[in-house]
Amino acid sequence: MNDIYDAHHEFHLALLAPAATNWDIRILSTLWRASERYIRIGWGSLDPDPREHARREQYHVELVAAFQQRDPEVAAGAVLQHLSRNEQTALLALDPDRSRVAPVS
């Protein structure tokens, strides 16, 4: 799982790199590292499910496709959707009674 989380971090840095300054990357990396323990705790309960990995991969394929359009509004919309899905997944992962949280679409 460490390799997967490290690759995930590198993926997002690669998406940001063309538009971000060194300062942006430094701040975002600091925030990423500070939140990573919570990400691992929250998503840890979902990690054993292979469908979860397929879902995550599909969402990242969609991000790449949006960025490849080279349209800032499309990219911003894709990032917002990605963050919204992550919020819903986090709520699902952290809820001991997962039936109360709507599934992530």
Side-chain angles (χ1 to χ4, degrees):
M1 288 312 302
N2 287 337
D3 291 342
I4 290 171
Y5 281 104
D6 289 344
H8 183 242
H9 181 231
E10 293 302 318
F11 168 83
H12 281 281
L13 281 179
L15 279 180
L16 293 170
T21 66
N22 287 338
W23 178 254
D24 295 332
I25 296 295
R26 185 173 20 195
I27 295 297
L28 291 169
S29 290
T30 300
L31 292 171
W32 185 285
R33 294 295 180 204
S35 66
E36 186 174 18
R37 70 188 70 148
Y38 304 108
I39 292 167
R40 288 180 186 232
I41 290 168
W43 268 256
S45 64
L46 301 175
D47 285 338
D49 184 349
R51 293 171 300 175
E52 175 64 14
H53 294 278
R55 183 196 62 76
R56 291 178 196 175
E57 181 179 358
Q58 179 57 39
Y59 289 171
H60 289 90
V61 166
E62 292 171 13
L63 268 178
V64 170
F67 274 67
Q68 286 175 330
Q69 292 184 40
R70 298 186 178 274
D71 180 331
E73 289 183 24
V74 171
V79 169
L80 181 59
Q81 181 180 34
H82 188 67
L83 293 173
S84 294
R85 285 173 169 168
N86 283 347
E87 178 182 20
Q88 289 303 307
T89 301
L91 291 171
L92 177 67
L94 294 171
D95 187 343
D97 180 12
R98 292 199 176 128
S99 64
R100 295 182 300 176
V101 180
V104 179
S105 57

